[in-house]
Amino acid sequence: MTEEMRVLWAWGPLHVTPYSLMMTLGAVVSVFILLLTMQRKGHTREMAIHLSLVSILGAVLGGHLIYCLCMAPMLESDYGGISLVWEFFRGGYTLYGAVFGVLAAVCWSARVRGERVLGLLDVLTPAASWMLMVGRLAERFTNQGIGMMVEQPWLQRLPFAVCTYMDEEWSEWHVPVFLWEALLGLLLFCLSVSMLKKARKEGRTALVFLTVLSAVQVLLEQMRQDDCIRFGFVRFTQLAALAVMMGCLAWECRGGELRSILVRWARLGFCALIVVFVEFAFEKPQFNIWLFASMAAAWLAFIPGLDGTKPKLWQWIAEAVMLAGGIAVIATLGHDYEFEGLMLYAVMACALFGMAQTILCSRARENR
């Protein structure tokens, strides 16, 4: 019996599993974090309780309904029919469904109550980060959040690997992607708490949270080899993360100069192409030529001063590093080196960093 099916307590139809217990406790702590954060920001307790209920409802409904929508073609064959849609206790949730659900719920609540939506999203980020961390750790009980098999004995230990099966003669170890995602949640929690202590432009904390979460999640999602939602080799979470980053950039481009806006969208677009062609290159090396072309285009788009601002020394250094890295990638891919896969992950990470930098490091004087 797996940890997912093990029952800790049972009262009639109510069965408490390790996963459900951990998620419930995490939600309770998240509510207290939100109450404390809103109290320090001058909100009433009634408003804090209201936002807690709205956010939880949005996360549950959004996470479950979007999962069911994505899995609609397989509901009848794999999930016993359409009844999964209203049977929330059977599972079936996705991270970005919860993100979209919370965003929609908070926007609706702010409009109805006459509150400022950006301020509400800011104070919500510490609680959301905490829940993200707990939810990822809880995946340990569901056999999800794991990556490729780790065969080197010296790497078969945390944080490099986690044991998924063991008997007297055999053991299996896999990359613990869920643990790294939990560390991302902890990092976002500390970052959001730190940002809220300082006077920043309204909405900046939520923008940083969504951008960093989306950029890192694309990379970590690529490492997963579990039951993640995918359409062929295209993963839903990666598409949703890209949509969130595009939305964040569109928000940041409000009122900007046309030249700067075009350059920033070009940078985001070429970096997104790099990510796409890296995904192709993992399965089909013949797409390496398109990967190299998108890398060259991104290198040109990131030339310092192209957006009309005065170039800084660190920008020239970063450009030189990008060029050197591109040359190393071209010299590596296609030669069957053992570290070719790691090189592809490194290229994807650099492209995602470029996307996050494009969103967060512009209009710095206005946003800070």
Side-chain angles (χ1 to χ4, degrees), residues 66-88:
I66 290 183
Y67 179 90
C68 293
L69 180 63
C70 293
M71 304 299 290
M74 291 171 282
L75 287 182
E76 190 66 35
S77 59
D78 296 343
Y79 297 94
I82 198 174
S83 61
L84 177 67
V85 174
W86 56 82
E87 293 178 347
F88 292 86

Side-chain angles (χ1 to χ4, degrees), residues 20 23 29 51-52 86 96 113 125 133 145 150 153 156 166 176 185 214 220 258 313 332 339 359:
S20 63
M23 292 295 289
V29 175
L51 184 60
S52 300
W86 56 82
Y96 274 91
R113 299 177 63 90
T125 52
M133 179 189 69
V150 178
Q156 292 178 348
M166 179 176 292
S214 299
L220 295 177
L258 180 60
L313 177 61
T332 299
F339 56 86
I359 298 170

Side-chain angles (χ1 to χ4, degrees), residues 43-54:
H43 294 276
T44 63
R45 179 174 298 181
E46 185 270 338
M47 181 60 202
I49 295 175
H50 172 81
L51 184 60
S52 300
L53 296 175
V54 167

Side-chain angles (χ1 to χ4, degrees), residues 282-330:
F282 272 111
E283 303 293 335
K284 303 177 180 180
Q286 60 267 33
F287 279 89
N288 284 345
I289 183 63
W290 297 105
L291 172 60
F292 301 151
S294 59
M295 290 171 60
W299 182 80
L300 293 175
F302 274 90
I303 291 178
L306 193 63
D307 57 354
T309 59
K310 184 178 179 180
K312 297 180 180 179
L313 177 61
W314 71 266
Q315 291 176 308
W316 287 110
I317 295 175
E319 187 76 0
V321 171
M322 287 174 58
L323 179 59
I327 295 174
V329 171
I330 293 174

